[in-house]
Amino acid sequence: MYNSLLYAGIPVIIIDVLCNWYSKLAVAVRWNNVISDWFYVGNGVRQGSCLSPAIFNVFMNVFIVKLKILNVGCHISGMFVGCLLYADDIILISPSVIGLQVMLDKCHEIANIISLQFNVCKCHCMAVGKMSRVVISPMILGSEEIAWLDHIKYLGIYLAFGKKTMKFDINPLKRSFYAACNSVFSHSEGISEIALLNLQEAYSLSVLMYASPALSLHSKQIAELNACWNSVIRRIFGYQRWESVKAVIYGLGRLNVTYEFLVRKVKFYKRLFFKSGFMHNIFWAALLSDNSGDCMSAVFIPLDKAIENVYLRFHKYVYD
């Protein structure tokens, strides 16, 4: 870790301070109000420290640097996007199996140098595109094999292969949503309708809308999610299954899920539009490809105006 900080150009005096801190790092375990003996920790960064994520990023950045030098993997508009890191989760993206194996070999080599070990049991491969149905031999990481799957879970999102693009499985999302809804309903006796609605929005709708700005869902999937939320509205206000709740949602100053998706995407794209760095560059590459329709065009107008346009469209949808 200290070598990584030195290579990153961190002043030696700061690294000396970190060495001093971490040489005195001791912790204890509390279980049922009983505290264990103190013991010293010689590995890892301090849990809960605001400095730890930055140190860990510098430490893990060696993977991106070394993989970029290989000149293999996925590139978008000349930018290397073949390695994506979130904490200790790593995604390798390559247009070819040969390139992917080269990247895996390099990752294994780097891990040995910096004393890390990959958990192959949690490693999976997935193919997307025309060749996704082709039987591919398992990839090799060190001396162990990594199997090819037709779907994987990453950061709570279920990804599935597709002949053209990556697909998203929303069924686990719907199950989690209904579990959250039932939990709220089971503790809602005596609560007013508006208070119950606010609770469902805070604890259940957030589950249904998890990561929604970054997902490319087709219209049928969005309609399914919208039906899930409408069923909650009906239960709160005593409507029958066949009755429409469009006017109720609008009268409460809310949006249905379909239009809530648009608002969240507009906000997400706005942040990417004004934020500098890697994600901003990727956003512009997508913007130039013109694949996101209304949400992309909304970045060129003020945020309040873009959201107002969504509400006006919902108003027209309600009363048409």
Side-chain angles (χ1 to χ4, degrees):
M1 183 181 75
Y2 300 130
N3 287 335
S4 299
L5 296 174
L6 283 172
Y7 294 147
I10 305 299
V12 176
I13 188 172
I14 295 179
I15 298 177
D16 285 340
V17 172
L18 292 174
C19 289
N20 184 273
W21 283 354
Y22 278 91
S23 66
K24 302 174 182 177
L25 184 60
V27 298
V29 177
R30 184 174 65 182
W31 180 261
N32 289 334
N33 295 322
V34 178
I35 299 179
S36 70
D37 294 333
W38 291 88
F39 57 93
Y40 287 95
V41 178
N43 293 318
V45 293
R46 292 183 60 189
Q47 297 297 309
S49 170
C50 60
L51 190 60
S52 295
I55 296 175
F56 188 76
N57 286 344
V58 174
F59 178 68
M60 295 295 290
N61 190 56
V62 63
F63 285 98
I64 297 177
V65 173
K66 296 297 184 181
L67 290 172
K68 187 177 181 180
I69 296 174
L70 293 176
N71 199 30
V72 296
C74 181
H75 290 74
I76 298 179
S77 298
M79 295 176 291
F80 175 67
V81 293
C83 176
L84 304 177
L85 282 167
Y86 183 84
D88 59 349
D89 288 319
I90 181 171
I91 290 183
L92 300 179
I93 308 174
S94 173
S96 68
V97 175
I98 295 176
L100 179 59
Q101 185 59 63
V102 171
M103 297 172 76
L104 286 171
D105 293 340
K106 177 58 68 173
C107 285
H108 179 69
E109 176 187 332
I110 297 169
N112 287 333
I113 293 174
I114 62 177
S115 301
L116 288 180
Q117 185 175 358
F118 287 100
N119 187 347
V120 179
C121 295
K122 295 183 178 181
C123 297
H124 309 288
C125 294
M126 186 177 71
V128 179
K130 296 180 179 179
M131 304 299 290
S132 59
R133 292 287 187 180
V134 176
V135 178
I136 308 174
S137 300
M139 308 303 294
I140 305 298
L141 181 59
S143 59
E144 300 185 73
E145 295 184 346
I146 303 178
W148 290 86
L149 303 178
D150 56 7
H151 65 278
I152 60 174
K153 178 184 178 182
Y154 180 68
L155 300 180
I157 299 299
Y158 291 80
L159 311 174
F161 73 89
K163 292 184 178 180
K164 294 184 178 180
T165 61
M166 184 179 297
K167 296 181 179 180
F168 302 95
D169 184 3
I170 63 171
N171 290 319
L173 192 67
K174 290 163 62 177
R175 289 194 292 268
S176 298
F177 167 73
Y178 282 125
C181 287
N182 291 333
S183 178
V184 173
F185 279 126
S186 65
H187 296 84
S188 61
E189 185 177 354
I191 299 178
S192 67
E193 295 173 340
I194 298 300
L196 181 55
L197 176 61
N198 290 332
L199 287 173
Q200 291 288 9
E201 288 175 333
Y203 294 100
S204 303
L205 183 59
S206 57
V207 174
L208 196 66
M209 304 297 292
Y210 173 68
S212 59
L215 303 183
S216 297
L217 303 179
H218 54 71
S219 56
K220 182 179 178 181
Q221 289 178 308
I222 296 177
E224 289 181 30
L225 297 180
N226 189 54
C228 292
W229 181 240
N230 285 349
S231 66
V232 174
I233 299 295
R234 291 188 180 94
R235 182 171 175 181
I236 292 174
F237 294 98
Y239 280 73
Q240 299 298 325
R241 293 181 60 184
W242 58 84
E243 293 181 285
S244 173
V245 292
K246 291 189 295 184
V248 175
I249 295 173
Y250 179 75
L252 294 170
R254 269 75 167 181
L255 297 172
N256 67 6
V257 166
T258 303
Y259 288 87
E260 184 66 32
F261 262 102
L262 292 177
V263 169
R264 296 190 181 214
K265 279 187 176 290
V266 167
K267 292 180 179 179
F268 179 61
Y269 290 160
K270 275 287 188 181
R271 288 197 297 270
L272 294 181
F273 182 73
F274 290 107
K275 185 177 181 179
S276 60
F278 172 76
M279 289 302 299
H280 173 80
N281 296 333
I282 296 297
F283 171 77
W284 270 104
L287 180 64
L288 294 175
S289 66
D290 194 29
N291 289 327
S292 297
D294 295 341
C295 292
M296 283 297 193
S297 61
V299 302
F300 296 106
I301 62 177
L303 179 60
D304 292 343
K305 181 63 176 178
I307 295 176
E308 181 184 349
N309 289 343
V310 175
Y311 273 88
L312 290 175
R313 289 174 57 184
F314 181 58
H315 179 276
K316 186 175 183 298
Y317 162 76
V318 170
Y319 292 103
D320 274 354

